[in-house]
Amino acid sequence: MASNGYRNGTGTNKGAIKPPASSNIRSSSFKSRLPPSSNHSTGSALRRTSSASFTTAAGGDGVPGRVRVAVRLRPRNAEESTADADFADCVELQPELKRLKLRKNNWESETYEFDEVLTEFASQKRVYEVVAKPVVESVLDGYNGTVMAYGQTGTGKTFTLGRLGEEDTSARGIMVRSMEEILANVSPETDSISVSYLQLYMETIQDLLDPANDNISIVEDPRTGDVSLPGATHVEIKDEPSFLELLRLGEAHRIAANTKLNTESSRSHAILMVHVKRSVLGEEVAIPSESDKSSHFVKPPKPLVRKSKLVLVDLAGSERVQKSGSEGHMLEEAKSINLSLSALGKCINALAENSAHVPIRDSKLTRLLRDSFGGTARTSLIVTIGPSPRHRGETASTILFGQRAMKVENMLRIKEEFDYKSLARRLEIQLDKLIAENERQQKAFDDEVERINLEAQNRVSEVERNFTDALEKERLKCQMEYMESVKKLEEKMIENQRKHQHDGFMKDKCNWEGPGFSEDIAEVKKLLEKEIHMRKEAEKEVNKLKSQLGQHMDAGAGGDAEILKLQIALEDEVHQKKKLEEEIIILRSQMLQLTFEADQMRRCLARGGSGNAYPGLDSPMSQVRDSLSGHKTPVSALFDQVGVQKILDLLESEDANVRIHAVKVVANLAAEEANQERIVEAGGLTSLLMLLRSYEDETVRRVAAGAIANLAMNEANQELIMVQGGISLLSTTASDAEDPQTLRMVAGAIANLCGNDKLQATLRSEGGIKALLGMVRCRHPDVLSQVARGIANFAKCESRASTNGIRSGRSLLIDEGALPWIVQNANNDAAPIRRHIELALCHLAQHVSEANAKDMINGGALWELVRITRDCSREDIRSLARRTLNSSLLFRSEMRRLRIEL
């Protein structure tokens, strides 16, 4: 009696076959012999590809990999449950030890070990994971793979391999699950999958997708030995439903028959070929230099195409004619099936024994599976057995077939080719990018050259102006010194004359009292009488002319010409009078302005020299200090003395100097809130807008923009500015002007308008926001400060509208592209710019919009908000930023992801 010894132990069972000493059949040993890319976990997410193993497999002689064999026991069917009720199963499974015992009788059995032992309760998912999943993952890595089911008729080969699972998804077989994993791991843009479905029937290869194609020839590559079927139908697969439809079509055309052992016995071998083509990048290769072996230059990776093939084989069941009851044509089918399976067994025996000759050409089945056994493919074999003791012989034969297959060693190789098309496409894309980048850089270079030229021209012009001003000042200084010298000389000359007259008087005093003195008096009297006479004659002449004038007036026509002359003379007098009045007003304004500036300077010096002594145009938002103390400023005095209408009339004067002085006076008056209403009522706002629109003089435009900025501080005036087209006019001026002071005035006016909730849409539609952002080109700190203030005002209004539910959606500022500039200047060195930008960021973040939050996160604004909570010098801004971050769900989520704590 034989003892129950293990087949790789010291047992003496005749039926047991000992594997080679170099191969351990346990699963862990099998995995250690596979290439690095084949040691997989059960989850597809844990699969990793080793580029080192790819290089070894592709460039070397390959990686050894033994055929992996699993055994699966089918549960008893209804017939066996009745017929074998009094008999125990002929097999006993020990899945935890990966062992199987085959009973000879009640006291003797043989033990075999497999890579996996699957009980009758094993799920289809577990069968896939332990049998097919490693092969599928290797196919995705570039290796060929084969999964084959072998066993007696009716033991569940087709159920294991080809079950569709349409009614119960848990019953899906290896074919469906393999395609699911392949589709989940390939890229539709760069990878492709095609499928062929064939059957080997009576030594004839037939196309299950095209039944008319019933005699497909096998072609072998004489150089590599690869087997191909050029006549087979290839269907490209994009999704799982199309693959299931393809399997249903193939199963409908597959030949099956009813035998005693199986009501739907497959009469042909079904072969599903899945061709996978994937695009990958090779390794980066360092280029060594001549002087140093270590180089920083790296050769870019080559694009490669990996072509792998997964072959799923559902073999027809081996059967004994006495048991299956086959006869007639079915008997011929059985003979053909048994002959092909016998040829497969001979090939496996020859490979297991390392025979010099392997009879591959004895059958088309062995020719098709040439790469699967002894080739370059990773192969998994599942042998299916039944529990019935009546079929113990067939079960033993199946087990021995699996034992012999476990001795077959394959050499795994990756099949990859250089992807010229992908490289050409990538190089074309890179070339297009380089051309576009070159054009952008050329445009930037041309713009920079133009900017430098313009800046140089501006500097030259400024130097010329400064030189001209200095020359004029020097000329005036020399002229004043000359006049002073002449005056001193005249005084000295008069003093000398006085001295000489005094001396002459003392000498000639006595001579005045002589007869000559009386003669002189008589002569003077005569001259006086003569002048009196001439005056009387002139009076008579005047009276005569008056009488003649009366006569001429009575005459009619002749008098009209004289009247016309008199009217012309009168108009000339009126014009001269008006011009004199204008000059008087200008002189008064200049005098009062100088008095005002001197007064401000005295007060500034009295305070210690701090502050700005000229609050007029340089400080549009200055407060009216004198009115608080009960005293009127000189400008206010001018306002009361001259009248606002006369001052506004001077804005239309033909004299440029008069216009400039008048607009300066209006700007100074507009700086005081008390005067703004009277200026607007008198049409001052309309006049200022006309000046801004019609005059090209930079001084007039600058001062007019400053006056409009002062008027824009009042909310009622803001709406008037909008109605009269002031927003578009300011936008146009901002795009045309280059002078920093003019841009500062325009930016200040737009910034004041940005604080009005009602003007948000109009500011955007009429180009106000774009104009405000466009003025950053000046880079002058004062201009940037006004731009930042305007953005902060606009963001605050948007935040208020969003909080009140008036407006939703994306911020208009972000739509206009303001976010990058805001983030870039959030930490500006200038304190006013930085303060306004920090407020703008906080208000933008308060805008209740998911799109706003995503844009701010992607644009880097989140990091600036976090910085503000920590580094901002003002406590109120820090608190506002902290509240804003804590109130946004998206901000909190992103901070948790980045592990940021406030």
Side-chain angles (χ1 to χ4, degrees):
M1 183 184 300
S3 62
N4 296 336
Y6 300 135
R7 49 182 289 274
N8 59 345
T10 58
T12 58
N13 294 354
K14 296 180 180 180
I17 297 177
K18 183 181 292 185
S22 62
S23 121
N24 192 341
I25 304 178
R26 297 299 296 270
S27 175
S28 59
S29 300
F30 169 68
K31 289 184 179 180
S32 65
R33 298 187 60 180
L34 298 182
S37 63
S38 63
N39 293 334
H40 306 285
S41 65
T42 58
S44 62
L46 298 179
R47 181 169 63 86
R48 296 292 183 268
T49 301
S50 172
S51 60
S53 67
F54 287 160
T55 305
T56 304
D61 294 333
V63 178
R66 179 177 56 78
V67 175
R68 190 178 187 197
V69 182
V71 60
R72 185 180 192 187
L73 177 63
R74 173 182 59 76
R76 286 191 175 192
N77 54 31
E79 181 185 354
E80 291 171 346
S81 298
T82 303
D84 301 333
D86 297 333
F87 300 94
D89 292 345
C90 67
V91 293
E92 178 185 350
L93 303 183
Q94 295 177 332
E96 66 280 358
L97 301 176
K98 302 187 187 299
R99 294 174 184 169
L100 177 148
K101 288 184 179 182
L102 179 63
R103 293 191 179 93
K104 289 184 177 181
N105 46 48
N106 291 334
W107 57 87
E108 186 178 4
S109 63
E110 296 173 346
T111 302
Y112 302 92
E113 289 188 3
F114 289 91
D115 293 309
E116 292 291 341
V117 176
L118 302 168
T119 67
E120 63 271 30
F121 305 109
S123 65
Q124 291 282 73
K125 181 179 180 182
R126 171 163 170 73
V127 173
Y128 169 75
E129 289 180 346
V130 300
V131 176
K133 186 179 179 66
V135 178
V136 174
E137 291 179 342
S138 297
V139 170
L140 290 171
D141 290 336
Y143 297 92
N144 286 344
T146 302
V147 179
M148 187 170 66
Y150 178 90
Q152 183 189 6
T153 297
T155 54
K157 298 184 297 302
T158 303
F159 177 83
T160 299
L161 210 64
R163 183 80 169 184
L164 298 182
E166 294 178 312
E167 298 177 355
D168 183 7
T169 56
S170 64
R172 291 169 296 163
I174 290 175
M175 288 183 178
V176 179
R177 294 178 185 269
S178 299
M179 184 55 66
E180 285 180 353
E181 181 157 359
I182 291 174
L183 288 172
N185 286 278
V186 298
S187 172
E189 291 81 10
T190 59
D191 305 337
S192 64
I193 306 169
S194 62
V195 169
S196 298
Y197 200 10
L198 313 168
Q199 70 174 355
L200 179 60
Y201 176 70
M202 301 286 287
E203 284 300 302
T204 302
I205 301 176
Q206 301 176 357
D207 197 335
L208 291 175
L209 303 180
D210 184 10
N213 189 9
D214 58 358
N215 191 9
I216 301 174
S217 60
I218 300 175
V219 178
E220 296 183 9
D221 189 338
R223 184 174 59 86
T224 61
D226 292 340
V227 177
S228 61
L229 301 171
T233 302
H234 290 263
V235 179
E236 190 170 354
I237 301 299
K238 294 295 185 182
D239 50 26
E240 186 180 351
S242 62
F243 177 68
L244 292 176
E245 184 64 28
L246 183 144
L247 288 183
R248 280 193 289 269
L249 177 63
E251 288 299 323
H253 294 149
R254 189 176 179 186
I255 299 174
N258 185 7
T259 67
K260 292 181 179 180
L261 297 177
N262 190 358
T263 57
E264 293 184 2
S265 175
S266 300
R267 312 309 292 169
S268 64
H269 307 299
I271 304 167
L272 179 70
M273 293 184 177
V274 182
H275 299 270
V276 180
K277 181 180 177 181
R278 304 193 71 186
S279 297
V280 296
L281 292 177
E283 290 184 332
E284 294 182 350
V285 180
I287 303 175
S289 60
E290 296 181 358
S291 59
D292 189 3
K293 293 183 179 180
S294 62
S295 174
H296 297 287
F297 297 98
V298 178
K299 187 176 181 180
K302 297 180 179 179
L304 302 175
V305 174
R306 287 182 178 160
K307 297 179 180 179
S308 56
K309 178 175 63 175
L310 174 64
V311 181
L312 302 171
V313 185
D314 180 13
L315 294 174
S318 61
E319 61 182 51
R320 293 183 180 179
V321 178
Q322 297 89 342
K323 292 185 178 182
S324 64
S326 299
E327 57 184 10
H329 184 67
M330 290 178 58
L331 179 60
E332 297 300 323
E333 292 175 344
K335 289 179 181 180
S336 177
I337 292 171
N338 289 336
L339 283 174
S340 61
L341 293 177
S342 176
L344 179 61
K346 289 178 181 179
C347 289
I348 289 177
N349 286 339
L351 290 170
E353 295 172 1
N354 293 323
S355 176
H357 173 68
V358 180
I360 293 176
R361 296 188 176 274
D362 289 356
S363 171
K364 287 188 178 180
L365 178 62
T366 55
R367 292 178 66 189
L368 287 172
L369 298 179
R370 178 175 183 176
D371 194 45
S372 304
F373 294 95
T376 61
R378 182 182 304 285
T379 302
S380 285
L381 173 66
I382 180 168
V383 294
T384 58
I385 59 176
S388 176
R390 290 183 296 161
H391 305 301
R392 185 187 180 281
E394 288 82 355
T395 301
S397 175
T398 301
I399 292 172
L400 293 179
F401 180 87
Q403 291 288 294
R404 287 191 294 270
M406 290 175 67
K407 299 179 182 180
V408 178
E409 191 89 8
N410 293 348
M411 294 299 293
L412 311 182
R413 289 188 179 90
I414 292 179
K415 296 184 179 180
E416 58 187 15
E417 300 173 357
F418 189 79
D419 191 359
Y420 292 97
K421 292 183 179 179
S422 175
L423 178 61
R425 186 166 55 252
R426 185 159 59 89
L427 291 178
E428 286 180 358
I429 294 173
Q430 290 180 356
L431 179 61
D432 292 339
K433 289 182 178 179
L434 290 175
I435 291 173
E437 181 64 25
N438 183 47
E439 290 180 351
R440 284 193 294 269
Q441 291 181 358
Q442 184 65 34
K443 181 65 167 58
F445 176 76
D446 294 341
D447 293 343
E448 183 67 17
V449 169
E450 184 178 358
R451 187 189 63 80
I452 292 174
N453 289 336
L454 184 61
E455 185 177 352
Q457 292 175 3
N458 292 335
R459 289 183 179 179
V460 170
S461 301
E462 185 178 358
V463 170
E464 289 178 351
R465 286 196 302 271
N466 294 337
F467 178 76
T468 303
D469 294 341
L471 186 63
E472 182 66 19
K473 289 180 181 179
E474 189 66 25
R475 186 184 68 79
L476 292 175
K477 181 180 178 182
C478 293
Q479 186 176 2
M480 292 299 295
E481 291 177 354
Y482 171 76
M483 295 297 294
E484 188 69 23
S485 300
V486 170
K487 185 177 179 181
K488 289 180 179 180
L489 290 175
E490 289 178 349
E491 290 178 354
K492 289 182 179 180
M493 185 181 68
I494 293 172
E495 184 67 24
N496 291 332
Q497 287 179 354
R498 287 177 180 176
K499 289 181 179 179
H500 286 301
Q501 288 177 357
H502 180 71
D503 293 341
F505 176 76
M506 293 300 296
K507 290 180 181 179
D508 299 334
K509 183 177 179 181
C510 59
N511 297 329
W512 291 357
E513 297 176 356
F517 182 72
S518 59
E519 292 177 359
D520 292 336
I521 292 174
E523 187 176 357
V524 170
K525 286 182 178 180
K526 289 179 180 179
L527 291 173
L528 180 60
E529 290 176 356
K530 186 178 180 179
E531 289 294 331
I532 292 171
H533 177 73
M534 290 175 64
R535 190 188 67 176
K536 290 180 179 179
E537 292 294 331
E539 288 178 354
K540 291 179 180 180
E541 187 68 24
V542 169
N543 293 330
K544 183 178 179 181
L545 289 174
K546 285 181 179 180
S547 61
Q548 291 177 358
L549 178 61
Q551 294 175 1
H552 283 297
M553 289 178 65
D554 295 337
D560 292 340
E562 295 295 333
I563 293 173
L564 183 61
K565 290 181 181 180
L566 292 175
Q567 288 179 347
I568 293 173
L570 183 61
E571 288 177 357
D572 291 339
E573 290 294 333
V574 172
H575 180 72
Q576 291 294 332
K577 180 181 179 181
K578 184 178 180 181
K579 189 172 182 180
L580 290 174
E581 288 179 352
E582 290 180 357
E583 293 179 358
I584 291 170
I585 292 173
I586 292 171
L587 292 174
R588 283 183 179 179
S589 65
Q590 291 178 349
M591 182 184 67
L592 292 173
Q593 179 70 20
L594 292 174
T595 306
F596 175 66
E597 292 176 357
D599 186 55
Q600 292 292 327
M601 180 63 73
R602 284 195 299 273
R603 284 202 297 270
C604 180
L605 293 174
R607 291 195 299 267
S610 62
N612 186 4
Y614 301 94
L617 294 176
D618 293 333
S619 300
M621 299 176 64
S622 61
Q623 298 178 351
V624 187
R625 299 183 181 90
D626 291 337
S627 61
L628 297 177
S629 59
H631 300 283
K632 291 186 178 180
T633 64
V635 179
S636 299
L638 176 65
F639 192 68
D640 293 336
Q641 294 173 8
V642 178
V644 64
Q645 191 60 51
K646 289 186 178 181
I647 297 174
L648 294 178
D649 290 340
L650 295 178
L651 295 177
E652 302 177 2
S653 175
E654 297 178 356
D655 192 339
N657 292 327
V658 174
R659 288 196 305 271
I660 293 173
H661 286 296
V663 75
K664 285 183 179 181
V665 172
V666 173
N668 286 323
L669 291 172
E672 300 181 8
E673 186 176 359
N675 301 329
Q676 291 180 359
E677 184 178 356
R678 295 171 62 185
I679 292 174
V680 172
E681 289 178 353
L685 177 59
T686 305
S687 299
L688 291 171
L689 291 174
M690 289 294 294
L691 281 178
L692 199 61
R693 179 182 295 108
S694 58
Y695 284 97
E696 297 181 357
D697 185 86
E698 193 65 33
T699 304
V700 173
R701 289 205 302 177
R702 180 176 66 252
V703 180
I708 294 172
N710 289 337
L711 294 176
M713 294 168 59
N714 189 301
E715 185 174 354
N717 295 340
Q718 292 172 358
E719 296 183 7
L720 288 175
I721 292 173
M722 179 196 70
V723 171
Q724 297 184 21
I727 295 177
S728 59
L729 186 59
L730 289 171
S731 302
T732 304
T733 306
S735 62
D736 295 340
E738 295 294 338
D739 180 59
Q741 296 304 320
T742 303
L743 291 175
R744 179 171 70 90
M745 297 301 177
V746 175
I750 297 178
N752 290 336
L753 296 175
C754 286
N756 193 323
D757 296 313
K758 302 176 183 178
L759 305 183
Q760 299 281 295
T762 308
L763 279 168
R764 185 191 183 190
S765 62
E766 296 188 6
I769 301 302
K770 283 189 177 180
L772 191 66
L773 295 174
M775 284 185 280
V776 301
R777 69 183 186 276
C778 178
R779 301 181 182 178
H780 194 281
D782 293 341
V783 178
L784 296 181
S785 177
Q786 294 298 329
V787 172
R789 182 171 70 87
I791 291 175
N793 289 344
F794 197 93
K796 183 177 181 180
C797 291
E798 276 197 323
S799 173
R800 187 160 51 234
S802 176
T803 304
N804 295 335
I806 300 173
R807 187 183 181 279
S808 61
R810 199 176 182 191
S811 169
L812 297 179
L813 284 175
I814 295 179
D815 281 341
E816 294 293 335
L819 186 59
W821 186 82
I822 293 174
V823 174
Q824 182 182 358
N825 290 272
N827 199 16
N828 195 290
D829 294 336
I833 300 175
R834 185 174 63 253
R835 183 178 70 253
H836 291 311
I837 292 296
E838 288 173 346
L839 286 172
L841 274 175
C842 293
H843 293 315
L844 274 178
Q846 287 179 325
H847 196 288
V848 184
S849 171
E850 183 178 351
N852 270 10
K854 289 182 178 179
D855 288 335
M856 294 186 72
I857 291 172
N858 296 333
L862 176 61
W863 291 102
E864 292 299 331
L865 285 170
V866 173
R867 181 194 61 77
I868 292 171
T869 61
R870 299 172 179 173
D871 302 338
C872 183
S873 59
R874 289 181 48 172
E875 177 61 30
D876 56 339
I877 299 179
R878 289 202 306 271
S879 301
L880 179 60
R882 194 175 294 110
R883 288 197 308 271
T884 302
L885 289 175
N886 289 330
S887 63
S888 173
L889 182 61
L890 282 174
F891 285 153
R892 292 203 306 271
S893 175
E894 183 68 12
M895 287 192 293
R896 283 197 301 270
R897 187 181 71 81
L898 298 174
R899 299 181 180 178
I900 298 175
E901 295 183 359
L902 297 180

